[in-house]
Amino acid sequence: SSKVALGDENFDQNGRFIVEANQIEESDLVARHYVLRALANESGGQFFNTTETEKLFSVLINNKEAKGIQRIVSRTLSIVNLKWIFGVLLLLMSLEWGLRKYFGNY
């Protein structure tokens, strides 16, 4: 509702509006192949139908400009952070020290 006073006159207006989510992509699910073909021609690309998959594969394989992307993910883990290995090493070192001390080779 809104109210405005202009001089001696008062204006009153009431109204409503509703905001609805409109998913344009979901309203028209028909593929327009002519638009895709025109877009491919304008951009220097090629258009392939679903029946031309072999031709698509050969074009992609023979394309010298396309480069493969390789990613190597390596992760290092400190042996000290592996508590059980650290415990076993500490136990073995303590055992060796104890045996050397007991037998007099220390």
Side-chain angles (χ1 to χ4, degrees), residues 5-84:
L6 182 62
D8 293 338
E9 294 185 61
N10 291 327
F11 298 97
D12 235 354
Q13 186 70 36
N14 291 323
R16 292 181 6 184
F17 67 92
I18 298 173
V19 177
E20 294 179 347
N22 187 7
Q23 298 294 333
I24 296 173
E25 294 86 6
E26 293 177 3
S27 64
D28 188 11
L29 301 177
V30 177
R32 292 186 177 80
H33 295 285
Y34 64 91
V35 174
L36 295 173
R37 188 173 285 114
L39 182 63
N41 288 336
E42 288 177 12
S43 64
Q46 294 177 339
F47 175 81
F48 298 97
N49 286 321
T50 56
T51 57
E52 300 174 313
T53 54
E54 292 299 322
K55 184 178 175 186
L56 171 63
F57 291 146
S58 69
V59 167
L60 289 175
I61 290 171
N62 296 325
N63 188 353
K64 301 299 180 198
E65 294 179 13
K67 296 179 182 175
I69 298 174
Q70 295 181 357
R71 294 193 177 125
I72 298 173
V73 177
S74 63
R75 190 177 71 164
T76 57
L77 183 63
S78 176
I79 197 165
V80 176
N81 292 338
L82 297 174
K83 296 190 185 333
W84 67 274

